[in-house]
């Protein structure tokens, strides 16, 4: 049976490096070297005077806030090349720009302008500065407001840059992928197409099985070896037995905790922290080593006895011990909200529109039973934010599984990604294309080229490039037609 130390290996490696990944997780990974033309351009950081409230003229009038965006014209044929617009998600926009090399690679091929827009209430795009997370100011953090931000920014920047006839393609990964799909649904007049990578548009709308997510995390480890799944399950069982005998000092020692747990709540917190660590590793199962503040090998190594024997706990030396409540914060997202101000924003979104009622059960997954029902969500959100979630709102507002009348959206998912089965896995039409990437982790296709990329992701990127090229050509034809009709109309 696995030791609790083995169970905690991943957690110490991640959290010992002070990694903070929250919400629908994105990666803090360093860009890699790759061959070919230059694809890591110098972005300029700028701020856009954005409307605070797009939908209520009385609440804020025409008040604005500074919304950050990154832009590069390095590849662009001014006034002609397309515009590639990244719909920023739950974090600092530089992290997304640094880890979405496919967009700039394709921009170099199609001579596109590239813009990465930061989501309101994240990074430095805080509408009310330090008061942004107070009630009622936090109430202007909605998907609809964020999409309107992007639409207004696209319209105004196209005017400023003399790019009114340039087709716009939106990109996004994870929650950002949801937003890119929503932009095509909500503003098809402005957006010619969308690449929605690892976008769980179904599960976050409350569709599907609540046990699916952690079942898929387990399947990722099981695909390495069934012994890996059994070792993790055994480790959690040992932790449960130690807690049942109230052997709290032993638990403190084994897990290098700053102080011993002393209650069932502390043990539940530890279970959540551990489950979150395994979730992150399943999501980050890339085909090559990546870097946080230290080196993070491929996920399969975490089940290797030699790796477990050789790992050095807290390799960065930053933490003398581990504080359960500062490293992991329980919130309305069972997969973790992360830390800091960004975590507050994501917690609020998980309490309003984003439905993340996922649970583990120790039957179909390797984790301890940890329920999170709609009732649990309502009780937590009423206490924390004074709101009542709307479980069916995303399904109503953004079509749920009734997407067949939409067009020009690519839904890409890697089969190693636990978020994948919460997204669209089957093509719905010739222009609603599902790409399933064998051996692909969380939005691997958005990352820049790497020598270790599997053939599956190379094929997916090729298909994505071909479809986006077609959409750009089609939009140019539509634009020319509109211009011609406009001229005829004035004769």
């Amino acid at each position: 049976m696995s030791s609790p130390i083995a169970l905690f290996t991943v957690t110490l490696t991640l959290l010992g490096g002070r990694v903070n990944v929250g919400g629908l997780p994105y990666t803090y990974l360093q860009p890699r070297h790759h061959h070919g033309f230059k694809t890591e351009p110098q972005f300029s950081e700028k701020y856009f005077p954005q409307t605070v409230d797009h939908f209520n003229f009385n609440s804020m009038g025409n008040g604005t806030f500074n919304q950050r965006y990154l832009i590069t014209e390095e590849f662009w044929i001014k006034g002609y090349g397309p515009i590639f617009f990244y719909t920023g998600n739950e974090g600092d926009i530089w992290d997304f720009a640094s880890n979405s090399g496919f967009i700039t690679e394709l921009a170099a091929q199609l001579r596109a302008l590239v813009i990465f827009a930061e989501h309101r209430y994240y990074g430095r795009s805080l509408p009310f500065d330090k008061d942004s997370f107070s009630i009622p100011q936090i109430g202007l953090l909605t998907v609809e407001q964020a999409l309107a931000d992007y639409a207004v920014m696209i319209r105004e920047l196209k005017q400023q840059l003399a790019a009114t006839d340039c087709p716009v393609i939106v990109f996004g990964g994870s929650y950002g992928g949801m937003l890119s799909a929503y932009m095509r649904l909500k503003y098809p007049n402005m957006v010619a197409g969308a690449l929605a990578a690892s976008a769980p548009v179904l599960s976050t709308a409350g569709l599907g099985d609540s046990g699916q997510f952690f079942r898929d995390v387990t399947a990722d480890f099981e695909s390495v070896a069934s012994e890996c799944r059994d070792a993790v399950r055994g480790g959690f069982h040992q932790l449960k037995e130690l807690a049942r005998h109230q052997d709290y000092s032993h638990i403190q020692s084994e897990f290098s905790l700053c102080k011993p747990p002393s209650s069932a709540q502390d043990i539940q917190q530890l279970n959540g922290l551990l489950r979150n660590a395994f979730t992150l590793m399943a999501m980050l199962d890339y085909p090559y080593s990546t870097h946080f503040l230290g080196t993070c090998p491929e996920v399969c190594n975490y089940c290797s006895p030699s790796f477990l024997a050789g790992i050095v706990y807290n390799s960065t030396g930053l933490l003398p011990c581990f504080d359960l409540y500062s490293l992991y914060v329980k919130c309305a997202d069972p997969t973790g909200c992360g830390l800091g101000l960004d975590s507050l924003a994501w917690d609020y979104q998980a309490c309003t529109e984003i439905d993340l009622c996922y649970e583990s059960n120790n039957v179909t997954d390797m984790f301890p039973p940890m329920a999170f029902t709609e009732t649990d969500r309502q009780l937590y959100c009423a206490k924390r934010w004074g709101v009542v979630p709307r479980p069916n709102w995303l399904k109503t507002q953004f079509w749920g599984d009734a997407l067949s009348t939409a067009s020009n959206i690519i839904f890409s998912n890697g089969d190693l990604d636990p978020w994948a089965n919460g997204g669209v896995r089957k093509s719905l039409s010739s222009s609603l294309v599902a790409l399933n990437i064998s051996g692909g982790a969380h939005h691997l296709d958005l990352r820049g080229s790497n020598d270790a990329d599997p053939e599956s992701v190379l094929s997916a990127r090729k298909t994505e490039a071909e479809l986006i090229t077609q959409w750009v050509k089609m939009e140019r034809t539509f634009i020319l037609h509109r211009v011609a009709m406009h001229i005829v109309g004035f004769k």
Side-chain angles (χ1 to χ4, degrees), residues 1 30 53 65 113 125 132 166-167 169 172 186 194 207 212 257 270 294 340 379 403 454 468 480:
M1 184 177 289
Q30 302 298 324
D53 187 348
F65 72 98
L113 174 72
S125 299
S132 295
C166 295
I169 305 295
K186 191 77 171 177
L207 298 166
Q212 174 184 289
L257 303 179
L270 178 55
L379 291 172
L403 292 164
I468 289 169
L480 288 174

Side-chain angles (χ1 to χ4, degrees), residues 331-470:
C331 67
D333 179 356
T335 73
C337 286
L339 305 172
L341 295 181
D342 288 346
S343 74
L344 296 179
W346 185 248
D347 187 32
Y348 182 80
Q349 290 197 265
C351 271
T352 50
E353 297 178 292
I354 311 296
D355 191 340
L356 294 162
C357 285
Y358 305 156
E359 59 184 18
S360 56
N361 55 38
N362 201 235
V363 176
T364 60
D365 58 63
M366 63 188 181
F367 302 108
M370 299 176 70
F372 189 65
T373 65
E374 281 294 347
T375 299
D376 295 329
R377 183 186 180 208
Q378 288 176 11
L379 291 172
Y380 169 83
C381 296
K383 182 178 180 181
R384 176 65 183 87
W385 296 107
V387 297
V388 177
R390 297 178 183 173
N392 295 314
W393 182 239
L394 285 187
K395 185 164 56 176
T396 302
Q397 178 78 324
F398 299 109
W399 306 19
D401 57 357
L403 292 164
S404 59
T405 58
S407 65
N408 292 9
I409 304 174
I410 300 167
F411 295 99
S412 63
N413 286 286
D415 63 2
L416 297 180
D417 183 6
W419 294 99
N421 286 324
V424 177
R425 303 301 301 272
K426 294 182 180 179
S427 295
L428 303 176
S429 71
S430 60
S431 68
L432 291 172
V433 179
L435 299 178
N436 296 303
I437 304 170
S438 177
H442 200 52
H443 51 72
L444 172 62
D445 51 325
L446 284 187
R447 298 183 63 77
S449 300
N450 187 286
D451 293 339
D453 281 332
E455 182 61 34
S456 58
V457 77
L458 299 181
S459 176
R461 289 179 186 140
K462 182 174 183 292
T463 299
E464 291 164 356
E466 290 172 350
L467 287 170
I468 289 169
T469 300
Q470 290 175 21

